[in-house]
């Protein structure tokens, strides 16, 4: 039978393996005696162990121990006097030896991938003496590999990316499989790669595992991801070899191979004319199948009649073109706009320019819708001037507004009173003429900023606002006066012509050319012998002495009237009095004391002694006042009782009775009108000169006079009772009711309304009664009238 080339190679491999196994199983270790012996005519030397390396196949699956080899010594005569001992790696646990025959067996299944060889030591001993008859020898048992491990992808599964439209043969990723079998023996660890899934798009190099593209022009927009299955097979891929697989996910990355395109050739949007500036009118987008930077684009308005009215920008997140308003829209001026808009990619790949221009154009038409707009003033800010001397009703100026809509509705004007709280100005509702409504004062308010409202007659809800700044022109209506309150002193030893004060003036007016003041003494003071005045012609004046020797005991204070005239037209003048005190001065002319009383006191008393005397006098006065006050309080308390709170005092004089329906006890009408004439009596704490006027006569009611008398007696006692509080307190007499015609029974009310009693004497009782005097006195400073 003829064999093919492949079958012949397999036959040779099997034959070699069989011969190797047979040789290993027959291997023996032999040795000679350790003692040399002699032969006639020849000397014999010592022999060592003679052995070969043992080989054992891994993964033995038999039930009997696997025969490994045999140890034998030349000393062994086969009579059982020699025994063999095995030591080293796996001795007794994996490998056992027959101590009589020297046969070695493996008792466990061996795995080359766990341990490739074992090193053991053999020893031949005399059975009787247990002494070695041969030197110890070391040998190796090597585990021979079989193809029992499939290739494995330790780094799988894999992910990789490759740009779309890549040429054929573009490298994607390299995969690597490892085989645990022995790479130095046979083909058990020789791996080849193949692709099981992923054709015809990708291929793999059999020896290197490099995955490459196999088709041109793969389009990410058509399919952006592929799943590949790669196989690795040992035994160089021959039949009977083991294999392993892994998956590779290949993603096509984007390139800019798609130009932007508008879905429509034209767009139309309606916007109201009242839309504020910077508002968004529309959002348009050119479609681009690319992603990321390849889809980024810019928009611009290339043509149209709205170039200055609208602008377009790009939304970085959505790549939309955002059209916004740059100027206010006016339906009455223009009803529509047309824009030509271009969208273009920012990043263009030169490799794909042949696919067409990477830009596109579209038309956007914007229709302006009419809106009922508020009136519009001809000017945003009106500036007007008026003299502060203007009379009420003087015309200041005119504002004008119109309805910008086609209907041109009439407009009515008014002033926003929140900007003119004092109502200084009026405006004619029809003509818009602004006039003065009050006298103006520039010194109070130099500029008035008011807001004028313009309302449509047909739709008052439409209100326009105009702003008016009214400047008040100054007139000379304020006389000049001292710039400050001067504290002027003159020394007793002053010399004639000595400057004692420099004065200046102020004027609330504001003349266009600035202030110019003229100073002089009044006619009465012009001929005085003490002081004179010199006008410095620079809005200041100097006061000088005319004589020497001033004495405090003769006159301690001088009053010098100074006449000041301004330069207004007409000019105004005023007389201001300068107070000059005579003082005792030191050698440097600095005032020490200005009190004239110092000359009256004895020279022997110091300032401290004077203060002590005054303190003693004040202390005595305070003690006397306290004693008088306490005695008066012991005699009769006037107003307050410290043991109770008079504001919460409730005095009950009688029961209420059986309710409103109970009319048998007394006549309820008696409480409804208490207007009868009563005599007044003076209070015990009122001085004799204070008198009461009689109450007016009221209409009397004859029914139940006793009860009415009882009520009036209580009221009269409360009026004149010095212990009663001088303010309202609750005193319950009988039926209160709602809407009673009896009116208030308050003692204070009765006094204030029907009596002329005067409480001004309370102000003479000291500061503690000042509050009461302010509340119930009749003076101009009374708190309540």
């Amino acid at each position: 039978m003829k064999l093919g080339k492949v079958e012949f190679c397999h036959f040779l491999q099997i034959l070699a393996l069989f011969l190797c196994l047979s040789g290993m199983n027959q291997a023996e270790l032999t040795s000679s005696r350790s003692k040399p012996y002699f032969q006639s005519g020849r000397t014999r030397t010592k022999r060592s162990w003679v052995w070969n390396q043992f080989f054992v196949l891994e993964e033995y699956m038999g039930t009997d121990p696997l025969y490994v080899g045999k140890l034998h010594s030349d000393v062994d005569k086969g009579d059982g006097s020699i025994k063999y001992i095995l030591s080293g790696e796996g001795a007794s646990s994996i490998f056992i030896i027959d101590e009589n025959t020297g046969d070695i067996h493996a008792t466990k299944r061996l795995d080359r991938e766990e341990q490739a060889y074992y090193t053991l030591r053999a020893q031949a001993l005399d059975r009787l003496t247990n002494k070695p008859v041969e030197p110890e020898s070391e040998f190796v048992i090597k585990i021979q590999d079989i193809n029992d491990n499939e290739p494995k992808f330790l780094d799988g599964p894999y992910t990789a990316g490759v740009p779309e439209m890549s040429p054929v043969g573009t490298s994607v990723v390299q995969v690597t499989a490892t085989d645990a079998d022995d790479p130095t023996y046979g083909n058990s660890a020789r791996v080849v790669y193949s692709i099981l899934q992923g054709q015809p798009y990708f291929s793999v190099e059999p020896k290197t595992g490099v995955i490459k593209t196999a088709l041109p022009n793969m389009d990410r927009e058509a399919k952006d991801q592929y799943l590949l299955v790669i196989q690795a097979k040992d035994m160089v891929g021959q039949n009977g070899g083991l294999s392993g697989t892994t998956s590779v996910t290949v993603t096509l990355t984007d390139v800019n191979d798609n130009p932007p395109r508008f879905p429509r050739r034209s767009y139309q949007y309606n916007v109201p004319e009242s839309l504020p500036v910077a508002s968004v009118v529309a959002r348009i987008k050119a479609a681009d199948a690319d992603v990321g930077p390849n889809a980024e684009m810019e928009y611009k308005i290339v043509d149209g009649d709205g170039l200055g009215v609208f602008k377009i920008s790009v939304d970085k997140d959505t790549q939309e073109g955002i059209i916004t308003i740059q100027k206010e829209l006016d339906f009455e001026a223009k009803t529509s706009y047309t824009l030509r808009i271009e969208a273009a990619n920012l990043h263009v790949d030169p490799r794909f320019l042949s696919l067409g221009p990477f830009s596109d154009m579209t038309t956007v038409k914007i229709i302006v819708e009419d809106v009922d707009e508020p009136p519009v003033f001809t000017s945003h800010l009106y500036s007007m001037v008026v003299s502060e001397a203007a009379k009420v009703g003087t015309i200041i100026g005119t504002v004008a507004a119109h309805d910008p809509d086609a209907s041109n509705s009439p407009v009515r004007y008014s002033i926003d009173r929140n900007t003119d709280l004092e109502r200084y100005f009026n405006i004619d509702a029809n003509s818009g003429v602004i006039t003065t409504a009050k006298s103006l004062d520039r010194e109070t308010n130099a500029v008035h900023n008011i807001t004028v409202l313009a309302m449509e007659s047909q739709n008052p809800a439409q209100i326009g606002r105009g702003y008016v700044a009214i400047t008040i022109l100054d007139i000379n209506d304020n006389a000049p006066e001292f710039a400050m309150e001067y504290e002027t002193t003159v020394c007793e030893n002053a010399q004639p012509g000595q400057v004692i004060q420099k004065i200046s003036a102020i004027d609330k007016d504001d003349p266009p050319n600035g202030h110019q003041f003229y100073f002089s003494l009044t006619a009465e003071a012009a001929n005085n012998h003490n002081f004179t005045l010199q006008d410095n012609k620079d809005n200041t004046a100097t006061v000088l002495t005319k004589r020497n020797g001033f004495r405090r005991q003769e006159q301690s204070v001088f009053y010098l009237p100074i006449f000041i005239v301004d330069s207004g037209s007409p000019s105004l003048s005023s007389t201001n009095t300068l107070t000059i005190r005579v003082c005792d001065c030191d050698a440097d002319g600095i005032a020490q004391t200005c009190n004239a009383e110092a000359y009256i006191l004895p020279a022997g008393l110091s300032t401290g002694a004077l203060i002590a005397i005054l303190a003693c006098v004040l202390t005595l006065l305070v003690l006397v006042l306290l004693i008088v006050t306490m005695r008066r309080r012991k005699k009769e308390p006037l107003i307050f009782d410290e043991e109770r709170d008079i504001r919460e005092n409730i005095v009950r004089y009688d029961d209420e009775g059986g309710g409103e329906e109970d009319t048998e006890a007394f006549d309820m009408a008696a409480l409804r009108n208490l207007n009868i004439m009563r005599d007044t009596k003076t209070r015990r704490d009122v001085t004799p000169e204070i008198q009461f006027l009689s109450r007016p006569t009221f209409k009397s009611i004859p029914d139940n006079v006793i009860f009415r008398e009882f009520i009036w007696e209580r009221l009269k006692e409360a009026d004149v009772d010095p212990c009663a509080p001088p303010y309202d307190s609750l005193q319950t007499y009988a039926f209160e009711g709602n809407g009673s015609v009896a009116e208030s029974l308050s003692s204070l009310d009765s006094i204030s309304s029907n009596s002329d009693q005067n409480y001004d004497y309370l102000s003479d009782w000291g500061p503690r009664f000042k509050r009461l005097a302010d509340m119930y006195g009749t003076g101009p400073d009374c708190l309540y009238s």
Side-chain angles (χ1 to χ4, degrees):
M1 183 178 62
K2 294 183 179 180
L3 297 177
K5 186 175 182 180
V6 177
E7 289 80 358
F8 181 72
C9 290
H10 288 174
F11 173 74
L12 291 179
Q13 289 177 354
I14 295 173
L15 179 61
L17 180 60
F18 175 76
L19 294 176
C20 182
L21 293 176
S22 299
M24 285 189 297
N25 290 335
Q26 299 301 326
E28 295 183 355
L29 292 178
T30 60
S31 67
S32 64
R33 288 181 178 270
S34 58
K35 295 181 180 180
Y37 64 94
F38 300 92
Q39 210 174 32
S40 58
R42 180 181 297 179
T43 301
R44 187 174 182 180
T45 61
K46 175 184 176 182
R47 295 192 310 169
S48 61
W49 290 91
V50 178
W51 57 279
N52 292 324
Q53 187 178 36
F54 293 146
F55 292 90
V56 180
L57 280 177
E58 63 172 336
E59 305 294 346
Y60 172 69
M61 304 298 294
T63 57
D64 297 331
L66 177 63
Y67 180 75
V68 176
K70 184 180 181 66
L71 294 178
H72 182 71
S73 175
D74 292 343
V75 180
D76 187 1
K77 302 301 183 180
D79 55 2
S81 61
I82 302 299
K83 66 176 181 179
Y84 299 95
I85 297 176
L86 193 64
S87 62
E89 292 180 318
S92 301
S93 60
I94 299 176
F95 303 101
I96 59 174
I97 189 171
D98 188 330
E99 64 178 15
N100 295 319
T101 63
D103 293 333
I104 301 173
H105 292 79
T107 60
K108 295 182 179 180
R109 187 180 67 176
L110 301 176
D111 188 354
R112 189 201 67 83
E113 285 69 42
E114 292 182 3
Q115 188 165 343
Y117 60 91
Y118 296 85
T119 302
L120 294 95
R121 294 181 298 276
Q123 182 77 62
L125 303 177
D126 186 280
R127 190 179 294 275
L128 296 178
T129 63
N130 207 28
K131 292 182 179 181
V133 296
E134 294 282 354
E136 188 178 56
S137 180
E138 185 178 83
F139 65 96
V140 174
I141 298 178
K142 186 175 182 181
I143 311 302
Q144 191 166 8
D145 182 50
I146 66 171
N147 191 17
D148 60 340
N149 290 280
E150 73 278 3
K152 294 182 179 179
F153 293 91
L154 301 180
D155 297 329
Y158 296 84
T159 58
V162 64
E164 62 174 330
M165 300 295 177
S166 296
V168 175
T170 302
S171 178
V172 179
V173 69
Q174 183 178 15
V175 297
T176 303
T178 58
D179 195 320
D181 292 325
D182 188 0
T184 64
Y185 179 77
N187 296 323
S188 298
R190 295 183 62 185
V191 177
V192 294
Y193 301 93
S194 61
I195 182 168
L196 301 182
Q197 179 180 324
Q199 299 99 337
Y201 306 102
F202 299 93
S203 62
V204 63
E205 287 285 343
K207 293 182 179 180
T208 61
V210 175
I211 300 174
K212 299 180 179 180
T213 57
L215 285 180
N217 301 327
M218 285 191 292
D219 191 0
R220 184 198 66 84
E221 288 71 35
K223 185 176 182 181
D224 63 347
Q225 198 172 81
Y226 297 85
L227 179 62
L228 282 63
V229 178
I230 305 298
Q231 182 189 66
K233 190 174 183 180
D234 58 15
M235 297 298 293
V236 201
Q238 298 178 3
N239 292 334
L242 302 179
S243 63
T245 61
T246 187
S247 64
V248 180
T249 301
V250 179
T251 302
L252 296 183
T253 58
D254 186 57
V255 297
N256 192 7
D257 59 337
N258 292 278
R261 291 291 180 264
F262 282 105
R264 297 165 56 183
R265 293 293 91 190
S266 63
Y267 298 85
Q268 179 172 315
Y269 298 94
N270 295 348
V271 296
E273 63 174 333
S274 60
L275 203 62
V277 174
S279 299
V280 176
V281 174
R283 301 174 75 100
I284 61 175
K285 183 178 181 180
D288 192 330
D290 297 320
V291 294
N294 297 317
E296 292 180 359
M297 62 186 73
E298 62 178 353
Y299 298 85
K300 59 182 177 180
I301 302 175
V302 297
D303 194 9
D305 54 2
L307 288 174
V309 181
F310 302 93
K311 72 173 182 178
I312 188 168
S313 58
V314 64
D315 187 329
K316 298 297 183 182
D317 297 327
T318 62
Q319 296 301 313
E320 292 178 307
I322 305 173
I323 303 175
T324 55
I325 300 175
Q326 282 187 297
K327 295 182 179 179
E328 293 184 354
L329 302 178
D330 188 359
F331 173 81
E332 288 70 28
K334 191 172 179 60
T335 59
S336 66
Y337 296 89
T338 301
L339 307 174
R340 289 280 295 166
I341 296 177
E342 179 188 58
N345 278 143
L346 288 176
H347 311 287
V348 179
D349 193 333
R351 296 177 299 171
F352 306 104
L353 290 177
S354 59
L355 298 178
F358 281 77
S359 62
D360 196 18
M361 302 280 290
T362 190
T363 301
V364 177
K365 188 173 184 179
I366 298 174
I367 306 297
V368 181
E369 297 178 343
D370 188 23
V371 175
D372 189 6
E373 299 175 89
V376 178
F377 283 87
T378 56
S379 176
H380 182 71
L381 176 63
Y382 294 88
S383 297
M384 301 178 184
V385 294
V386 62
S387 173
E388 63 177 326
K391 296 181 179 180
V392 175
T394 300
I395 296 177
I396 303 173
T398 304
V399 297
H402 68 281
D403 183 7
D405 298 316
S407 59
N408 195 18
S409 175
V411 174
R412 294 182 62 82
Y413 302 95
S414 64
I415 294 177
D416 184 355
R417 291 305 175 184
N418 290 324
T419 60
D420 184 26
L421 297 175
E422 300 296 331
R423 295 180 176 267
Y424 284 109
F425 307 99
N426 287 329
I427 189 171
D428 187 276
N430 297 316
S431 64
V433 175
I434 299 176
T435 58
T436 58
K438 283 185 178 181
S439 297
L440 304 175
D441 185 8
R442 188 202 66 84
E443 287 71 37
T444 302
N445 193 352
V447 178
H448 295 265
N449 294 301
I450 63 174
T451 300
V452 178
L453 307 178
M455 296 176 290
E456 290 184 12
S457 299
Q458 297 178 359
N459 185 8
Q462 294 296 334
I463 301 175
R465 285 174 169 79
Y467 303 96
V468 181
I470 302 175
T471 302
I472 309 301
L473 298 178
D474 184 43
I475 63 171
N476 192 24
D477 59 343
N478 291 277
E481 58 187 14
F482 278 159
M484 58 182 293
E485 185 177 350
Y486 294 101
E487 295 181 359
T488 307
T489 61
V490 60
C491 295
E492 288 182 309
N493 57 356
Q495 299 297 320
Q498 183 175 336
V499 176
I500 62 172
Q501 184 68 61
K502 186 176 183 180
I503 61 175
S504 62
I506 58 173
D507 193 331
K508 295 181 181 179
D509 295 320
D510 188 16
N513 298 324
H515 290 288
Q516 180 62 50
F517 301 114
Y518 305 95
F519 301 86
S520 63
L521 295 178
T522 60
E524 296 81 5
N527 297 321
N528 78 90
H529 302 290
N530 300 311
F531 305 99
T532 184
L533 182 71
Q534 177 182 328
D535 192 339
N536 298 326
K537 307 301 181 181
D538 60 353
N539 289 341
T540 64
T542 304
V543 179
L544 304 95
T545 58
K546 292 180 66 176
R547 67 180 178 90
N548 58 353
F550 294 89
R551 295 180 59 82
R552 282 178 290 169
Q553 65 272 24
E554 294 178 0
Q555 185 173 353
S556 62
V557 179
F558 292 90
Y559 299 99
L560 186 65
I562 298 176
F563 188 69
I564 307 175
V565 182
D566 63 18
S567 59
S569 179
S571 62
L572 295 181
S573 62
S574 66
T575 300
N576 298 264
T577 302
L578 182 66
T579 302
I580 305 173
R581 298 184 181 276
V582 181
C583 299
D584 180 26
C585 302
D586 59 13
D588 297 328
I590 300 176
Q592 299 298 315
T593 177
C594 300
N595 296 325
E597 292 79 2
Y599 283 94
I600 302 175
L601 297 174
L605 293 178
S606 65
T607 304
L610 293 176
I611 294 175
I613 293 172
L614 291 175
C616 292
V617 173
L618 289 175
T619 304
L620 290 175
L621 290 176
V622 172
L623 289 175
V624 171
L625 289 176
L626 288 175
I627 292 172
V628 172
T629 303
M630 297 203 43
R631 285 183 178 179
R632 192 169 184 179
R633 285 190 176 182
K634 288 181 180 179
K635 290 181 180 180
E636 182 178 7
L638 295 178
I639 301 272
F640 294 98
D641 188 353
E642 296 179 354
E643 296 181 356
R644 58 182 177 173
D645 187 353
I646 60 175
R647 291 172 294 177
E648 298 182 358
N649 184 31
I650 300 178
V651 181
R652 298 184 178 275
Y653 297 100
D654 200 356
D655 292 335
E656 187 175 355
E660 297 181 4
E661 301 299 330
D662 185 5
T663 59
E664 297 179 359
F666 53 86
D667 187 3
M668 297 299 294
L671 297 177
R672 295 174 183 166
N673 194 347
L674 306 180
N675 300 330
I676 63 174
M677 180 177 177
R678 291 294 167 193
D679 295 334
T680 60
K681 295 181 180 180
T682 60
R683 294 171 56 138
R684 289 178 300 221
D685 59 335
V686 177
T687 57
E689 64 269 19
I690 300 177
Q691 298 180 358
F692 292 82
L693 296 178
S694 62
R695 290 178 178 271
T697 304
F698 298 93
K699 181 181 179 180
S700 62
I701 299 177
D703 300 334
N704 291 315
V705 176
I706 296 176
F707 188 73
R708 185 170 61 249
E709 289 290 339
F710 165 74
I711 296 298
W712 272 111
E713 288 296 331
R714 295 303 185 200
L715 180 61
K716 179 179 66 177
E717 290 176 4
D719 286 343
V720 299
D721 186 3
C723 298
Y727 49 83
D728 288 353
S729 63
L730 178 63
Q731 299 191 32
T732 304
Y733 298 109
F735 174 74
E736 185 176 40
N738 292 326
S740 173
V741 297
E743 300 180 351
S744 173
L745 298 180
S746 168
S747 61
L748 298 178
D749 181 69
S750 63
I751 289 300
S752 64
S753 59
N754 300 317
S755 175
D756 292 330
Q757 181 174 346
N758 188 356
Y759 285 94
D760 290 341
Y761 65 89
L762 293 174
S763 61
D764 300 330
W765 289 7
R768 294 199 299 174
F769 297 94
K770 184 177 184 303
R771 180 65 174 172
L772 297 178
D774 292 341
M775 293 172 61
Y776 299 102
T778 59
D781 297 333
C782 182
L783 183 62
Y784 300 101
S785 59

